[in-house]
Amino acid sequence: MQSSAENGTTLSTAGLFGLAWPLGLKSVMLHGILVIDFYLVSPLGEEALAAMGLAGALAGLLLGVLFAFSNATQIRIAQAFGATGPTALKTSFVCGLLINVVATGLGIIVVLILGGRVISAFAHTPWIAAQGTAYLYVFLWVVVFEAIAQVFESHFNGCGNTKITFFGFLIAVPINIGISIVLIYGLFGFPELGVVGAAWGSAAASATRVVFVNLWFARTDRHIFAAMGWSRPSFREALHRHWMFSLPIAGTFISMTIGSQVCMLIYATMTVNEFAALTLMLPWVQTAGTFGMAWAQATGIAMAQLLGKGTKEDALDEFLRRAWRGAIVAAALVALAYLAICLMSAWIYDDLQAETTAALLTFLPVLLILPFPKGSNAICGQTLRASGDTVYVMNIFVSGQWLCKVPLTALFVLYLDLHVAWVFALLLFEELFKFPPFHLRLLKGQWKQSKVMED
């Protein structure tokens, strides 16, 4: 990766795959945390799953904010790495860490004040409300640890060292599984915590990753702090510049997260079986779908490095064509994974009621089509973000959420009372809604003239 950034050449398909596969496996393990928690808790029954679904909706808001700002930091670091600027690397890292810490503090305050009330308002029973609130409060430790870990991982990813973040998750996931099992069911003399035990397992895993990435950074990359000064005359000005670049990206992710969690709260008004089916399938959609998203994210990192170096337009076009062909292959593999998940759902969750299992199978037609427009949209979005065209990308995502997905979810669930399969199909309709504006913007080609390090 270093050589490509320095001489302005583009990555080969094999090189892009080398950048993408650690991102994909890391994302699988990240989203797999929820899948694991739901799987381990599923024998406790549908009410336990509903409690986790409600708590996860609010916890997802906080994590969405962190991932938003961390994604922006990752792009800035990739641009700085392409321009081989240690001062810019240091500036992006410190600004990203400060923004994450402040955002986390504010988010925790809001959750402590309102979280219990929101869960109680949507829970079907007092037991679900109590378990969901307890899970959420423990999960706040995950948010604290992620605020730190995500900045270090953004640094490694932006510099092309995506394997480091993968190794961190490779160590943390077994810890999450082991501690969760022990505390959920009270093994080896430990207290039986039920749903809350899964939250403690996730917190322990996140803490392990924080230690790992800090140690690795101290070993390999601490030299960036030897660079004098900041990328602007003062740190205050540098922080303001980073914030202004990050804000549209953060707005995009925050809008997506809030919209998704609002939909989850609307889903909670459905029958317990339908809500349980959505609660089980949506993490699988994210987990299996990360292979396609990882390819797009790797494309965005490489493109940011190339634009930071000032690569010629014909080289950018050639690289993007190869990246797009890879995205189609990735989408086909994701569709096959969805097929396997649906066909094996009765075996994976053999403790579920027949109504819940039947609802899971109705999602299959949408799942076979969804990866293709979603993957192509992701390539467009990551490329435009890498060029600094973040406001336009934000507008597309905000429109998709608040003009399409959220109002139609409310209409389908609260007023028309449609079958859960139609509600799930809105995931596909949202991607089709975003498809024309994304691709028309990219085909215009103005992003290729961006001077990203001068923004």
mmCIF file of all heavy atoms in Angstrom, residues 119-143:
data_model
loop_
_atom_site.group_PDB
_atom_site.id
_atom_site.type_symbol
_atom_site.label_atom_id
_atom_site.label_comp_id
_atom_site.label_asym_id
_atom_site.label_seq_id
_atom_site.Cartn_x
_atom_site.Cartn_y
_atom_site.Cartn_z
ATOM 1 N N ILE A 119 -37.289 2.712 26.768
ATOM 2 C CA ILE A 119 -37.480 1.259 26.752
ATOM 3 C C ILE A 119 -38.805 0.882 27.402
ATOM 4 O O ILE A 119 -39.560 0.041 26.893
ATOM 5 C CB ILE A 119 -36.301 0.557 27.452
ATOM 6 C CG1 ILE A 119 -35.033 0.695 26.601
ATOM 7 C CG2 ILE A 119 -36.610 -0.924 27.704
ATOM 8 C CD1 ILE A 119 -33.804 0.096 27.222
ATOM 9 N N SER A 120 -39.120 1.505 28.531
ATOM 10 C CA SER A 120 -40.382 1.202 29.214
ATOM 11 C C SER A 120 -41.592 1.551 28.360
ATOM 12 O O SER A 120 -42.621 0.867 28.410
ATOM 13 C CB SER A 120 -40.451 1.964 30.544
ATOM 14 O OG SER A 120 -39.425 1.538 31.419
ATOM 15 N N ALA A 121 -41.478 2.608 27.564
ATOM 16 C CA ALA A 121 -42.606 3.042 26.738
ATOM 17 C C ALA A 121 -42.917 2.047 25.622
ATOM 18 O O ALA A 121 -44.073 1.928 25.192
ATOM 19 C CB ALA A 121 -42.329 4.417 26.151
ATOM 20 N N PHE A 122 -41.899 1.305 25.139
ATOM 21 C CA PHE A 122 -42.108 0.407 24.004
ATOM 22 C C PHE A 122 -42.122 -1.065 24.381
ATOM 23 O O PHE A 122 -42.448 -1.902 23.547
ATOM 24 C CB PHE A 122 -41.019 0.645 22.949
ATOM 25 C CG PHE A 122 -41.184 1.919 22.171
ATOM 26 C CD1 PHE A 122 -40.600 3.095 22.608
ATOM 27 C CD2 PHE A 122 -41.947 1.948 21.013
ATOM 28 C CE1 PHE A 122 -40.741 4.275 21.896
ATOM 29 C CE2 PHE A 122 -42.103 3.117 20.298
ATOM 30 C CZ PHE A 122 -41.511 4.290 20.733
ATOM 31 N N ALA A 123 -41.761 -1.398 25.615
ATOM 32 C CA ALA A 123 -41.710 -2.800 26.020
ATOM 33 C C ALA A 123 -43.118 -3.369 26.192
ATOM 34 O O ALA A 123 -44.017 -2.683 26.689
ATOM 35 C CB ALA A 123 -40.919 -2.947 27.316
ATOM 36 N N HIS A 124 -43.291 -4.634 25.815
ATOM 37 C CA HIS A 124 -44.582 -5.281 25.955
ATOM 38 C C HIS A 124 -44.908 -5.621 27.407
ATOM 39 O O HIS A 124 -46.072 -5.650 27.796
ATOM 40 C CB HIS A 124 -44.630 -6.570 25.114
ATOM 41 C CG HIS A 124 -44.770 -6.332 23.642
ATOM 42 N ND1 HIS A 124 -43.704 -6.066 22.809
ATOM 43 C CD2 HIS A 124 -45.871 -6.309 22.836
ATOM 44 C CE1 HIS A 124 -44.132 -5.897 21.571
ATOM 45 N NE2 HIS A 124 -45.448 -6.042 21.558
ATOM 46 N N THR A 125 -43.894 -5.919 28.205
ATOM 47 C CA THR A 125 -44.111 -6.311 29.599
ATOM 48 C C THR A 125 -43.098 -5.614 30.498
ATOM 49 O O THR A 125 -42.031 -5.186 30.034
ATOM 50 C CB THR A 125 -43.961 -7.835 29.778
ATOM 51 O OG1 THR A 125 -42.584 -8.198 29.553
ATOM 52 C CG2 THR A 125 -44.864 -8.598 28.823
ATOM 53 N N PRO A 126 -43.384 -5.490 31.806
ATOM 54 C CA PRO A 126 -42.407 -4.920 32.736
ATOM 55 C C PRO A 126 -41.096 -5.703 32.769
ATOM 56 O O PRO A 126 -40.023 -5.109 32.962
ATOM 57 C CB PRO A 126 -43.133 -4.987 34.091
ATOM 58 C CG PRO A 126 -44.586 -4.990 33.737
ATOM 59 C CD PRO A 126 -44.694 -5.744 32.465
ATOM 60 N N TRP A 127 -41.153 -7.036 32.611
ATOM 61 C CA TRP A 127 -39.923 -7.833 32.617
ATOM 62 C C TRP A 127 -39.021 -7.459 31.445
ATOM 63 O O TRP A 127 -37.806 -7.318 31.607
ATOM 64 C CB TRP A 127 -40.275 -9.319 32.549
ATOM 65 C CG TRP A 127 -39.067 -10.216 32.727
ATOM 66 C CD1 TRP A 127 -38.583 -10.715 33.893
ATOM 67 C CD2 TRP A 127 -38.212 -10.713 31.687
ATOM 68 N NE1 TRP A 127 -37.464 -11.489 33.657
ATOM 69 C CE2 TRP A 127 -37.216 -11.511 32.296
ATOM 70 C CE3 TRP A 127 -38.182 -10.561 30.297
ATOM 71 C CZ2 TRP A 127 -36.215 -12.142 31.581
ATOM 72 C CZ3 TRP A 127 -37.168 -11.199 29.577
ATOM 73 C CH2 TRP A 127 -36.209 -11.973 30.211
ATOM 74 N N ILE A 128 -39.608 -7.290 30.264
ATOM 75 C CA ILE A 128 -38.820 -6.876 29.095
ATOM 76 C C ILE A 128 -38.190 -5.506 29.336
ATOM 77 O O ILE A 128 -37.020 -5.270 29.019
ATOM 78 C CB ILE A 128 -39.705 -6.854 27.828
ATOM 79 C CG1 ILE A 128 -40.132 -8.278 27.453
ATOM 80 C CG2 ILE A 128 -38.977 -6.203 26.669
ATOM 81 C CD1 ILE A 128 -41.080 -8.349 26.274
ATOM 82 N N ALA A 129 -38.954 -4.591 29.918
ATOM 83 C CA ALA A 129 -38.437 -3.253 30.199
ATOM 84 C C ALA A 129 -37.269 -3.314 31.176
ATOM 85 O O ALA A 129 -36.232 -2.652 30.980
ATOM 86 C CB ALA A 129 -39.546 -2.369 30.751
ATOM 87 N N ALA A 130 -37.397 -4.092 32.258
ATOM 88 C CA ALA A 130 -36.343 -4.176 33.261
ATOM 89 C C ALA A 130 -35.075 -4.793 32.695
ATOM 90 O O ALA A 130 -33.955 -4.289 32.924
ATOM 91 C CB ALA A 130 -36.830 -4.977 34.468
ATOM 92 N N GLN A 131 -35.222 -5.881 31.934
ATOM 93 C CA GLN A 131 -34.055 -6.545 31.363
ATOM 94 C C GLN A 131 -33.387 -5.683 30.295
ATOM 95 O O GLN A 131 -32.154 -5.616 30.211
ATOM 96 C CB GLN A 131 -34.465 -7.895 30.769
ATOM 97 C CG GLN A 131 -34.868 -8.931 31.806
ATOM 98 C CD GLN A 131 -33.689 -9.316 32.686
ATOM 99 O OE1 GLN A 131 -32.631 -9.696 32.201
ATOM 100 N NE2 GLN A 131 -33.879 -9.201 33.988
ATOM 101 N N GLY A 132 -34.199 -5.034 29.470
ATOM 102 C CA GLY A 132 -33.639 -4.166 28.441
ATOM 103 C C GLY A 132 -32.870 -2.992 29.026
ATOM 104 O O GLY A 132 -31.784 -2.634 28.547
ATOM 105 N N THR A 133 -33.406 -2.381 30.082
ATOM 106 C CA THR A 133 -32.724 -1.253 30.725
ATOM 107 C C THR A 133 -31.409 -1.695 31.362
ATOM 108 O O THR A 133 -30.382 -1.015 31.242
ATOM 109 C CB THR A 133 -33.637 -0.627 31.782
ATOM 110 O OG1 THR A 133 -34.852 -0.184 31.153
ATOM 111 C CG2 THR A 133 -32.963 0.559 32.446
ATOM 112 N N ALA A 134 -31.427 -2.838 32.048
ATOM 113 C CA ALA A 134 -30.210 -3.346 32.678
ATOM 114 C C ALA A 134 -29.140 -3.652 31.636
ATOM 115 O O ALA A 134 -27.953 -3.343 31.827
ATOM 116 C CB ALA A 134 -30.533 -4.588 33.499
ATOM 117 N N TYR A 135 -29.540 -4.265 30.532
ATOM 118 C CA TYR A 135 -28.601 -4.560 29.448
ATOM 119 C C TYR A 135 -27.997 -3.266 28.903
ATOM 120 O O TYR A 135 -26.785 -3.178 28.669
ATOM 121 C CB TYR A 135 -29.317 -5.320 28.339
ATOM 122 C CG TYR A 135 -28.454 -5.685 27.154
ATOM 123 C CD1 TYR A 135 -27.833 -6.922 27.083
ATOM 124 C CD2 TYR A 135 -28.277 -4.792 26.100
ATOM 125 C CE1 TYR A 135 -27.043 -7.260 25.987
ATOM 126 C CE2 TYR A 135 -27.490 -5.108 25.011
ATOM 127 C CZ TYR A 135 -26.873 -6.346 24.957
ATOM 128 O OH TYR A 135 -26.078 -6.664 23.875
ATOM 129 N N LEU A 136 -28.829 -2.252 28.686
ATOM 130 C CA LEU A 136 -28.367 -0.994 28.109
ATOM 131 C C LEU A 136 -27.330 -0.322 28.999
ATOM 132 O O LEU A 136 -26.299 0.164 28.520
ATOM 133 C CB LEU A 136 -29.554 -0.058 27.889
ATOM 134 C CG LEU A 136 -29.227 1.341 27.356
ATOM 135 C CD1 LEU A 136 -28.587 1.253 25.979
ATOM 136 C CD2 LEU A 136 -30.486 2.198 27.308
ATOM 137 N N TYR A 137 -27.563 -0.276 30.300
ATOM 138 C CA TYR A 137 -26.652 0.417 31.205
ATOM 139 C C TYR A 137 -25.286 -0.268 31.261
ATOM 140 O O TYR A 137 -24.249 0.406 31.328
ATOM 141 C CB TYR A 137 -27.256 0.515 32.601
ATOM 142 C CG TYR A 137 -28.403 1.503 32.693
ATOM 143 C CD1 TYR A 137 -29.273 1.496 33.780
ATOM 144 C CD2 TYR A 137 -28.632 2.434 31.689
ATOM 145 C CE1 TYR A 137 -30.324 2.395 33.870
ATOM 146 C CE2 TYR A 137 -29.685 3.328 31.758
ATOM 147 C CZ TYR A 137 -30.521 3.310 32.856
ATOM 148 O OH TYR A 137 -31.562 4.205 32.938
ATOM 149 N N VAL A 138 -25.274 -1.586 31.214
ATOM 150 C CA VAL A 138 -23.978 -2.283 31.174
ATOM 151 C C VAL A 138 -23.296 -2.056 29.829
ATOM 152 O O VAL A 138 -22.072 -1.886 29.752
ATOM 153 C CB VAL A 138 -24.167 -3.786 31.448
ATOM 154 C CG1 VAL A 138 -22.857 -4.539 31.252
ATOM 155 C CG2 VAL A 138 -24.691 -4.010 32.861
ATOM 156 N N PHE A 139 -24.089 -2.020 28.767
ATOM 157 C CA PHE A 139 -23.537 -1.859 27.422
ATOM 158 C C PHE A 139 -22.868 -0.493 27.241
ATOM 159 O O PHE A 139 -22.074 -0.308 26.310
ATOM 160 C CB PHE A 139 -24.641 -2.034 26.378
ATOM 161 C CG PHE A 139 -24.127 -2.351 25.001
ATOM 162 C CD1 PHE A 139 -23.875 -3.659 24.635
ATOM 163 C CD2 PHE A 139 -23.919 -1.342 24.068
ATOM 164 C CE1 PHE A 139 -23.404 -3.954 23.362
ATOM 165 C CE2 PHE A 139 -23.448 -1.627 22.802
ATOM 166 C CZ PHE A 139 -23.184 -2.941 22.445
ATOM 167 N N LEU A 140 -23.148 0.456 28.111
ATOM 168 C CA LEU A 140 -22.480 1.757 28.029
ATOM 169 C C LEU A 140 -20.963 1.625 28.148
ATOM 170 O O LEU A 140 -20.220 2.452 27.620
ATOM 171 C CB LEU A 140 -23.016 2.698 29.114
ATOM 172 C CG LEU A 140 -24.456 3.182 28.927
ATOM 173 C CD1 LEU A 140 -24.872 4.054 30.098
ATOM 174 C CD2 LEU A 140 -24.616 3.950 27.611
ATOM 175 N N TRP A 141 -20.497 0.595 28.869
ATOM 176 C CA TRP A 141 -19.060 0.357 28.923
ATOM 177 C C TRP A 141 -18.505 0.017 27.544
ATOM 178 O O TRP A 141 -17.377 0.417 27.206
ATOM 179 C CB TRP A 141 -18.744 -0.775 29.908
ATOM 180 C CG TRP A 141 -18.849 -0.362 31.332
ATOM 181 C CD1 TRP A 141 -19.814 -0.712 32.234
ATOM 182 C CD2 TRP A 141 -17.956 0.511 32.040
ATOM 183 N NE1 TRP A 141 -19.585 -0.124 33.453
ATOM 184 C CE2 TRP A 141 -18.447 0.623 33.362
ATOM 185 C CE3 TRP A 141 -16.789 1.185 31.685
ATOM 186 C CZ2 TRP A 141 -17.804 1.402 34.324
ATOM 187 C CZ3 TRP A 141 -16.148 1.961 32.633
ATOM 188 C CH2 TRP A 141 -16.650 2.066 33.932
ATOM 189 N N VAL A 142 -19.275 -0.688 26.742
ATOM 190 C CA VAL A 142 -18.851 -0.977 25.373
ATOM 191 C C VAL A 142 -18.655 0.322 24.604
ATOM 192 O O VAL A 142 -17.675 0.501 23.871
ATOM 193 C CB VAL A 142 -19.880 -1.874 24.658
ATOM 194 C CG1 VAL A 142 -19.489 -2.110 23.207
ATOM 195 C CG2 VAL A 142 -20.022 -3.198 25.387
ATOM 196 N N VAL A 143 -19.582 1.257 24.785
ATOM 197 C CA VAL A 143 -19.512 2.540 24.090
ATOM 198 C C VAL A 143 -18.254 3.301 24.496
ATOM 199 O O VAL A 143 -17.556 3.881 23.653
ATOM 200 C CB VAL A 143 -20.774 3.375 24.379
ATOM 201 C CG1 VAL A 143 -20.684 4.737 23.711
ATOM 202 C CG2 VAL A 143 -22.023 2.633 23.912
#
